[in-house]
Amino acid sequence: MSVIPVEILKKVKKIQIQTSRLVNDILAGEYHSTFKGQGMEFSEVRDYVPGDDIRSIDWNVTARMNKPYVKQFVEERELTVILMVDISGSGYYSSSRQTKNEMAAELSSLLALSAIQNNDKVGLILFTDHVETFIPPKKGKTHVLRVIREVLSFQPEGKETNFSSALDFLNKAIRKRSVVFLISDFLSSGYEKLMRVSARKHDLICVSLSDRREKEMPDLGLVHLQDAETGELLLFDTSDPKSRAALQVLYSRDRRNTSEFLSNHGIDQIEIHTHEPYVKPLVGFFRSRERWMR
């Protein structure tokens, strides 16, 4: 068994404290209202009272007891939640207090704690250009702490992003229909076919992370930009307004294409920015989903 560095344990504890408060105060109820379970299961029988639907009468019990009884059902609450987290090189970029990977760890913690509080199972898939690690779905706070620790401290082998291999793994490894949160900056392509398959099989929700400097580059003169995934270096003149505008156009186009693809295929998206609080868009998603499901 590997020894967990003290600084990682401190980070896990800090995130647990911060996110537990948010879950208890805000998110647990929103989560429960949004993900209501996938059916009804038999609970017990009770005496028939006038006005009850006669289709709910339990005729076997009624015959034995010589008076009418009806079946009662409760919502089948238990769900399986899968957190799919992109831990490729681009996630280490930050122009604010948090990298995208650190933001992904907090979001994973929030979602995992909300799920566990509602007695759901939680599993984890960490991926780069291949699946780096898989933690099968389980219940319990100890399990959630392991999930948080892995997202925070895992050292990936790969730097690039391959959604197709991760989605293919999801579709083969998780047989039961699950709620899947795919957390990434979506700076990749070629995933469309397998994402459509995943969206048909599971309740797929894409959590899109972005940093404002990916869209708006300040005037810093000549700078070297390095692709965190490929290592490619580019000399970029940030003092040129046309160059900055071109960068903004390319970024906006890619974001728009991703959003349009997800919308056209009925895949929900939550947009999170590293320089803004993430609670508002998360709660907004839960509430809009709840209204839509009514």
Side-chain angles (χ1 to χ4, degrees), residues 42-171:
F42 173 73
S43 173
E44 60 185 359
V45 294
R46 63 164 173 79
D47 290 341
Y48 173 87
V49 295
D52 282 338
D53 189 338
I54 61 170
R55 290 174 295 183
S56 65
I57 292 177
D58 187 323
W59 295 107
N60 290 329
V61 177
T62 296
R64 289 200 305 270
M65 304 303 294
N66 290 318
K67 68 175 189 174
Y69 282 82
V70 294
K71 296 177 182 177
Q72 279 193 300
F73 293 85
V74 295
E75 188 177 52
E76 186 184 354
R77 259 288 330 149
E78 183 181 296
L79 298 174
T80 297
V81 175
I82 303 295
L83 303 173
M84 288 187 69
V85 186
D86 174 4
I87 55 171
S88 59
S90 61
Y92 293 99
Y93 178 76
S94 174
S95 66
S96 58
R97 66 182 182 86
Q98 277 186 312
T99 67
K100 287 181 282 187
N101 282 354
E102 288 170 337
M103 183 72 82
E106 284 198 26
L107 289 167
S108 299
S109 176
L110 276 171
L111 295 168
L113 287 169
S114 297
I116 290 298
Q117 193 154 316
N118 281 274
N119 203 35
D120 295 336
K121 295 179 181 178
V122 179
L124 176 68
I125 298 173
L126 297 178
F127 70 96
T128 53
D129 53 6
H130 63 282
V131 173
E132 298 269 358
T133 194
F134 171 54
I135 300 178
K138 286 178 63 177
K139 296 182 182 182
K141 288 191 175 180
T142 301
H143 177 70
V144 166
L145 289 177
R146 181 190 173 196
V147 167
I148 299 169
R149 188 177 71 239
E150 288 293 329
V151 179
L152 264 178
S153 65
F154 192 87
Q155 297 298 312
E157 295 176 355
K159 291 185 177 180
E160 299 185 27
T161 306
N162 188 330
F163 283 108
S164 294
S165 66
L167 291 166
D168 184 54
F169 179 87
L170 167 75
N171 295 337

Side-chain angles (χ1 to χ4, degrees), residues 177-193:
R177 181 173 176 81
S178 303
V179 177
V180 179
F181 289 95
L182 174 53
I183 304 174
S184 173
D185 54 17
F186 290 90
L187 298 179
S188 185
S189 59
Y191 52 76
E192 290 82 3
K193 181 179 179 181

